[in-house]
Amino acid sequence: QKEVEQDPGPLSVPEGAIVSLNCTYSNSAFQYFMWYRQYSRKGPELLMYTYSSGNKEDGRFTAQVDKSSKYISLFIRDSQPSDSATYLCAMSLYGNNRLAFGKGNQVVVIP
Amino acid sequence: DTEVTQTPKHLVMGMTNKKSLKCEQHMGHRAMYWYKQKAKKPPELMFVYSYEKLSINESVPSRFSPECPNSSLLNLHLHALQPEDSALYLCASSQEPGQGYHGYTFGSGTRLTVV
């Protein structure tokens, strides 16, 4: 079983729709959860990070963590064509330099 | 300056060549990383430098040789690579070692093709 599972998609949605992405993980010791956005031929860009369970909102983006289910989600409201990218979930232990990445989920927002 | 700058952006090299990738950050970050990313795959950690010392080598073949001349610079020296080493090589940094959980700042990468 992989440490982090993420359905690679691709996911196509019309402009203005809500995009819902998720990852599951197996290591219950993970405490820090991140979402990265990666445009084609660019490096990943940190979108959001959360600690432990709960929700975090930043503009059109909401990250949710459910540690009891080992499940994290990212929601993008009012999606825009500029949101078309690959979204990678990542997670880490406290004090650890290693990030465990999901495979990435390609999102296409159609105008 | 909130960027990690990588040069060159593209590199084509033969299997007998020696080349180097360069990474620079001026954010005062004390941990720097090299990652390798194949198409449609997540980044894979190669090396970690903490306070300019190599702290993690993820069993990377010796044809890849990292170097950290100072706290702002990270190099990756390449020699006798194989075609399967073709990938996007990403440099990243974080404020302190052991704080990868706060997220890294990634560079745009060097797209390497080995012919």
Side-chain angles (χ1 to χ4, degrees):
Chain A
Q1 183 185 12
K2 283 189 180 296
E3 261 192 321
V4 181
E5 300 274 6
Q6 182 178 11
D7 183 352
L11 180 65
S12 292
V13 300
E15 183 175 353
I18 294 176
V19 175
S20 173
L21 306 170
N22 56 74
C23 291
T24 58
Y25 61 94
S26 58
N27 187 344
S28 58
F30 284 138
Q31 291 182 293
Y32 294 88
F33 305 91
M34 288 142 273
W35 287 95
Y36 284 86
R37 176 175 62 196
Q38 187 172 20
Y39 291 113
S40 180
R41 299 183 176 276
K42 295 286 188 184
E45 167 196 3
L46 181 65
L47 265 182
M48 301 186 72
Y49 83 88
T50 53
Y51 168 68
S52 197
S53 284
N55 290 3
K56 186 172 181 179
E57 194 171 312
D58 185 1
R60 297 184 295 111
F61 298 90
T62 299
Q64 287 185 351
V65 174
D66 181 348
K67 288 195 74 180
S68 62
S69 302
K70 299 196 192 77
Y71 187 91
I72 69 171
S73 301
L74 178 71
F75 299 97
I76 307 173
R77 290 183 298 281
D78 186 25
S79 57
Q80 305 294 310
S82 58
D83 295 325
S84 298
T86 295
Y87 291 82
L88 294 144
C89 65
M91 40 203 81
S92 179
L93 306 172
Y94 176 79
N96 195 302
N97 284 316
R98 289 184 176 84
L99 294 183
F101 281 95
K103 280 186 178 180
N105 197 321
Q106 186 183 358
V107 172
V108 177
V109 180
I110 302 164
Chain B
D1 188 351
T2 58
E3 284 189 346
V4 172
T5 304
Q6 288 187 246
T7 54
K9 292 196 183 310
H10 301 275
L11 178 62
V12 179
M13 61 184 289
M15 289 189 283
T16 57
N17 291 160
K18 283 186 182 182
K19 296 285 185 185
S20 296
L21 310 185
K22 182 178 169 183
C23 172
E24 199 164 356
Q25 58 88 12
H26 296 286
M27 295 176 281
H29 287 180
R30 303 313 304 267
M32 296 184 76
Y33 311 79
W34 280 115
Y35 276 84
K36 173 183 177 179
Q37 188 177 27
K38 300 280 259 184
K40 298 192 185 301
K41 299 284 187 185
E44 296 174 16
L45 183 64
M46 299 174 72
F47 303 104
V48 180
Y49 272 84
S50 302
Y51 292 99
E52 300 156 50
K53 291 195 183 339
L54 183 65
S55 61
I56 295 175
N57 176 342
E58 293 285 87
S59 303
V60 178
S62 60
R63 57 187 184 267
F64 296 91
S65 176
E67 179 196 19
C68 189
N70 60 56
S71 59
S72 300
L73 275 176
L74 188 64
N75 298 320
L76 186 63
H77 302 297
L78 314 173
H79 174 54
L81 294 193
Q82 304 297 309
E84 58 264 30
D85 295 321
S86 299
L88 181 67
Y89 287 85
L90 293 162
C91 175
S93 67
S94 65
Q95 202 157 18
E96 291 288 334
Q99 287 191 351
Y101 54 85
H102 279 175
Y104 302 160
T105 302
F106 280 91
S108 289
T110 293
R111 187 158 298 278
L112 174 68
T113 303
V114 181
V115 296

